[in-house]
């Protein structure tokens, strides 16, 4: 079977580069939402881009013959559902005083269009929010959608209405003579204008007095003008201003109570228009082309706005990450300084090691030569079992405790700084764990330190023949030497310097000389250097993992900047697209005037005739 992608684009009347561009836009919209956007406005723009690309552009880029989506939109109590029932020819959408009456998208569709609609224009909408009404008596090709109220008290309803706007091909905006100036609906109408969505305005409950009726129409003309739209008064001739938005006026009392609908006569022009679309493929394609053209024309500014959002967030993300990095680096430096000074060691651990090696006795032997020292050590180790495990446990307990103290302080300082940033405060509001160390901090660090000590023992075994003999003999064990190197690492900064360093200066001097006597000065320098470098890397990795809990809350600034560049490139490609569009869409773009939706005949825009 041939691929139904670019290869078949010409057969569908669409340029092969348009579908590929739309797929790229869909990928960019998905990536933008995965970051995710910071702030309601940025999130709304990103979701709008996704819904617009997936719900409309992708569908129309693949085919102008996909079912046309006619959307009924309006505020609470405007009579949307009553008009929907009129267009459906039977009660289909609930009406009543309970608000909101429409909590889901009610879709009147021919059974043959059902799958194409669900897999196309409505594919990104939760199926639980869609109620399909199959009607085999209507002609296929047009789906009527009754949206929830645009000013619903329920956020989910307003969100669904916004998403349906992005998927529609034609909008019937329904309001009343007393509600037409409400702010929220006009915000939605602004989006309708931005994306070039074909529009008809239906005003219910118009006053019977001609003068009062004229006042409402004049005010509507003024308001639509401020929104960038031109309104053609009810019954006005289309040829005077073919681009104007047609107005359909429904008088107070024009209701069919039994059918829960508006009487057919006042909305006859709308009924005729829907019937014409159902009956004529060319008419449907003309509306689809006009909707697609408006979508493309209005996409550049939206892409630029989403790119600006990403770039601004990159600056903020970098600042937040720098804050975390600075706090954790500062506390890591403080931890290393504490280890260098040896101030964290428990006095008991130092005392046990001091007693074990017989500090007073061994120190006296230093003046008599290194051979006497080795002999004394051999006697001491043969006489007394080395207290290696108590020293190891006590020392590691202190190291873990000190590291936890500094990591917790870094977390507290980072969380406090982020809490002062409005966007970051929302991120950490539900994360109390970010104000301290991560669960399992102690256990994880202890495992790493045990591995570090094991590596010291391995290096002791590999330090040369003389050292191996010492390590293998009864006088000194590898664990004892490893613990000695550990203590030497904690207590010394420069290896064998001959200086008395640290707060326990005598112990520091003693451990240097003991290790130097056993291993030789050059080997001791290397052991201490390797041990300290490995310990520094171990602690840096632990603090890095702690800091990563914050980093994962915000995307990398570079990623956001790359995304912003890609969005701007796509916007430029969209703006350069019209010359490459197929004749049907290009003709709509190039035409000086475009037929209004209530004209009975198709415009001269190169539209193919109906089959």
């Amino acid at each position: 079977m041939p691929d139904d992608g670019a290869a078949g684009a010409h057969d569908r009347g669409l340029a092969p580069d348009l579908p590929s561009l739309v797929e790229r836009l869909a990928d960019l919209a998905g990536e933008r939402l995965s970051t995710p956007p910071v702030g309601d406005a940025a999130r709304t723009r990103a979701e709008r881009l996704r819904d617009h690309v997936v719900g409309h552009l992708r569908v129309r880029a693949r085919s102008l013959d996909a079912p046309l989506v006619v959307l009924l939109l309006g505020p609470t109590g405007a009579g949307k559902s009553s008009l929907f029932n009129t267009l459906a020819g039977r009660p289909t959408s609930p009406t009543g005083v309970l608000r909101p009456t429409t909590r889901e998208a009610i879709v009147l569709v021919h059974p043959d269009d059902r799958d194409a609609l669900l897999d196309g224009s409505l594919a990104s909408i939760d199926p639980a929010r869609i109620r399909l009404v199959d009607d085999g008596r209507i002609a296929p090709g047009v789906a009527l959608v009754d949206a929830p109220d645009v000013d619903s008290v329920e956020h989910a309803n307003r969100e669904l209405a916004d998403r349906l706007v992005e998927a529609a091909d034609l909008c019937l905006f329904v309001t009343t003579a007393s509600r037409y100036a409400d702010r929220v609906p006009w915000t939605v109408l602004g989006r309708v204008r931005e994306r070039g969505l074909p529009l008809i305005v239906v005003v219910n409950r118009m006053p019977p007095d001609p003068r009062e009726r004229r006042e409402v129409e004049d005010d509507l003309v003024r308001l639509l003008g401020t929104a960038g739209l031109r309104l053609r008064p009810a019954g006005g001739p289309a040829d005077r201003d073919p681009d104007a938005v047609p107005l359909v006026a429904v008088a107070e009392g024009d209701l069919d109570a039994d059918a829960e609908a508006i009487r057919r006569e006042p909305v006859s022009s709308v009924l005729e228009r829907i019937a014409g679309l159902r009956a004529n493929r060319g008419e449907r394609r003309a509306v689809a082309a006009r909707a697609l053209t408006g979508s493309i024309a209005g996409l550049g500014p939206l892409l630029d706005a989403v790119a600006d959002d990403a770039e601004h967030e990159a600056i903020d993300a970098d600042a937040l990450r720098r804050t975390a990095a600075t706090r954790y680096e500062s506390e890591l430096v403080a931890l290393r300084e504490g280890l260098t000074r040896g101030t964290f060691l428990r006095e008991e651990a130092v005392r046990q090691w001091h007693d074990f090696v017989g500090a007073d006795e061994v120190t006296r032997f230093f003046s008599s030569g290194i051979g006497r020292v080795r002999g004394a050590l051999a006697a001491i180790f043969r006489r007394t079992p080395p207290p290696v495990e108590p020293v190891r446990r006590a020392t590691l307990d202190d190291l873990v405790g000190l590291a936890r103290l500094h990591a917790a302080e870094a977390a507290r300082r980072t969380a406090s700084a982020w809490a002062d940033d409005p966007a970051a405060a929302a991120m950490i509001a539900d994360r109390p764990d970010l104000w301290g160390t991560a669960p399992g901090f102690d256990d994880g660090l202890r495992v790493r330190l045990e591995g570090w000590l094991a590596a010291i023992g391995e290096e002791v075994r590999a330090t040369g023949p003389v050292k191996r003999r010492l390590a293998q003999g009864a006088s000194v064990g590898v664990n004892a030497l490893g613990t000695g190197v550990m203590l030497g690492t904690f207590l010394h900064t420069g290896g064998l310097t001959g200086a008395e360093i640290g707060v326990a200066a005598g112990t520091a001097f003693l451990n240097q000389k003991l290790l130097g006597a056993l291993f030789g000065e050059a080997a001791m320098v290397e052991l201490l250097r390797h041990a300290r470098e490995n310990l520094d890397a171990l602690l840096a990795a632990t603090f890095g993992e702690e800091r990563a809990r914050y980093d994962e809350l915000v995307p990398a600034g570079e990623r956001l900047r790359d995304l912003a560049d890609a969005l701007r490139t796509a916007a430029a490609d969209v703006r350069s697209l019209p010359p490459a569009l197929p004749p049907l869409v290009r003709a709509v773009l190039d035409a000086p005037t475009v037929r209004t939706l209530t004209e009975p005949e198709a415009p001269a825009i190169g539209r193919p005739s109906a089959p």
Side-chain angles (χ1 to χ4, degrees):
M1 294 291 293
D3 176 56
D4 192 33
H10 287 295
D11 294 337
R12 295 190 303 271
L14 295 173
D17 58 341
L18 181 57
S20 62
L21 174 59
V22 169
E23 291 307 315
R24 177 153 60 97
L25 291 171
D27 290 341
L28 289 173
E31 184 179 354
R32 177 64 187 108
L33 284 169
S34 70
T35 41
V38 176
D40 292 340
R43 187 179 303 105
T44 296
R45 282 187 284 269
E47 291 174 346
R48 180 178 295 166
L49 176 62
R50 175 204 59 198
D51 295 340
H52 186 51
V53 172
V54 174
H56 189 261
L57 278 179
R58 177 184 277 169
V59 175
R60 288 295 160 226
R62 290 174 175 173
S63 174
L64 291 175
D65 287 316
L68 205 68
V69 176
V70 178
L71 177 67
L72 278 72
L73 197 69
T76 302
K80 261 187 319 87
S81 297
S82 296
L83 177 59
F84 186 89
N85 292 338
T86 301
L87 298 177
R90 58 191 172 94
T92 301
S93 187
T95 63
V97 296
L98 180 64
R99 303 299 176 197
T101 50
T102 305
R103 293 175 168 84
E104 54 195 357
I106 300 173
V107 183
L108 181 69
V109 61
H110 188 280
D112 291 349
D113 290 338
R114 182 187 183 107
D115 291 342
L117 196 65
L118 292 176
D119 295 337
S121 300
L122 304 183
S124 63
I125 296 176
D126 182 0
R129 302 302 308 277
I130 300 172
R131 180 161 69 85
L132 290 174
V133 179
D134 291 331
D135 191 342
R137 298 172 300 175
I138 62 176
V142 177
L144 294 179
V145 182
D146 187 9
D149 301 333
V150 295
D151 58 350
S152 173
V153 295
E154 298 182 18
H155 176 74
N157 289 348
R158 299 195 306 272
E159 185 180 62
L160 177 57
D162 289 342
R163 298 187 70 175
L164 290 169
V165 168
E166 302 304 326
D169 296 289
L170 169 62
C171 178
L172 302 181
F173 183 75
V174 185
T175 186
T176 68
S178 60
R179 299 289 308 276
Y180 67 86
D182 290 357
R183 182 181 62 83
V184 173
W186 284 90
T187 301
V188 178
L189 275 180
R191 177 54 190 159
V192 169
R193 179 189 60 80
E194 286 174 2
R195 60 149 296 193
L197 179 61
L199 176 67
I200 298 175
V201 175
V202 179
V203 182
N204 278 320
R205 302 171 196 150
M206 289 287 273
D209 183 84
R211 183 178 59 81
E212 294 179 354
R213 189 179 199 139
R214 183 64 184 175
E215 288 177 356
V216 172
E217 290 186 5
D218 289 344
D219 201 32
L220 269 170
V221 169
R222 178 185 64 80
L223 289 174
L224 278 168
T226 62
L229 297 167
R230 296 194 307 280
L231 180 68
R232 177 170 13 113
D239 55 357
R240 290 186 181 178
D241 191 357
D243 288 333
V245 174
L247 170 65
V248 177
V250 180
E252 183 80 43
D254 277 339
L255 294 175
D256 184 344
D258 294 335
E260 298 181 356
I262 297 173
R263 291 192 305 108
R264 296 177 60 86
E265 291 79 9
V267 292
S268 59
S269 61
V270 179
L271 288 166
E272 291 170 3
R273 185 58 182 147
I274 300 300
L277 290 173
R278 283 176 174 156
N280 192 313
R281 174 176 178 252
E283 291 291 316
R284 294 194 300 273
R285 286 170 63 86
V287 172
R290 181 179 176 184
L292 174 60
T293 300
S295 293
I296 294 170
L299 195 58
L302 179 57
L303 286 166
D304 287 337
V306 175
D308 289 343
D309 291 336
E311 195 156 54
H312 293 156
E313 288 173 25
I315 297 172
D316 296 338
D318 285 343
L320 289 171
R321 286 180 169 232
R322 279 195 303 271
T323 296
T326 299
R327 272 35 173 205
Y328 273 92
E329 181 61 29
S330 173
E331 290 301 320
L332 182 58
V333 169
L335 172 59
R336 285 168 173 163
E337 290 175 350
L339 297 181
T340 296
R341 293 192 302 270
T343 55
F344 80 97
L345 288 174
R346 288 183 183 175
E347 292 183 3
E348 179 62 19
V350 176
R351 186 188 65 76
Q352 287 190 47
W353 185 258
H354 197 147
D355 291 346
F356 161 56
V357 299
D360 293 338
E361 180 180 1
V362 174
T363 303
R364 289 197 301 273
F365 286 132
F366 277 120
S367 61
S368 303
I370 204 68
R372 295 282 303 277
V373 174
R374 287 194 175 116
L377 286 173
I380 292 170
F381 284 128
R382 279 195 298 269
R383 182 175 67 246
T384 308
V388 173
E389 285 307 315
V391 171
R392 182 200 300 258
R393 283 195 303 271
T395 303
L396 291 188
D397 285 346
D398 278 347
L399 177 54
V400 170
L402 185 66
R404 186 197 320 112
L405 178 67
H406 285 283
E409 178 62 11
R412 186 195 66 79
R413 293 175 61 198
T414 301
S416 296
W418 281 36
D420 292 334
D421 182 286
M427 297 177 194
I428 65 174
D430 298 325
R431 293 287 304 273
D433 59 298
L434 293 176
W435 291 82
T437 57
F441 175 87
D442 287 16
D443 293 341
L445 180 56
R446 192 177 299 277
V447 168
R448 279 181 164 160
L449 289 171
E450 291 288 354
W452 173 69
L453 283 175
I456 291 176
E458 290 300 320
E459 189 163 3
V460 167
R461 289 187 177 92
T463 311
V466 175
K467 291 77 187 176
R468 280 199 298 272
R469 285 196 298 271
L470 286 170
Q472 292 166 357
S475 57
V476 180
V478 170
N479 288 339
L481 293 179
T483 303
V485 175
M486 176 179 69
L487 290 172
T489 300
F490 296 157
L491 293 171
H492 306 298
T493 58
L496 290 172
T497 63
E500 296 181 356
I501 303 172
V503 291
T507 305
F509 179 75
L510 171 63
N511 279 290
Q512 283 190 23
K513 292 301 182 181
L514 284 176
L515 295 170
L518 292 170
F519 288 90
E521 293 188 8
M524 191 58 242
V525 168
E526 285 301 301
L527 279 170
L528 286 174
R529 183 176 66 81
H530 289 167
R532 177 162 290 283
E533 288 175 353
N534 293 338
L535 180 63
D536 285 347
L538 178 157
L539 294 173
T542 298
F543 274 53
E545 290 172 358
E546 288 288 297
R547 190 190 71 239
R549 297 180 301 152
Y550 293 89
D551 290 347
E552 68 185 12
L553 296 179
V554 293
E558 193 60 32
R559 177 187 175 190
L560 286 169
R561 278 185 285 273
D562 289 344
L563 177 58
D565 290 342
L567 286 164
R568 291 196 176 98
T569 298
D573 291 343
V574 166
R575 291 185 173 99
S576 67
L577 188 59
L581 289 177
L584 178 63
V585 180
R586 186 171 63 244
V588 177
L589 277 172
D590 296 338
T593 59
V594 181
R595 177 178 64 93
T596 60
L597 296 176
T598 54
E599 290 185 51
E601 299 297 329
I605 58 171
R607 165 176 68 79
S609 59

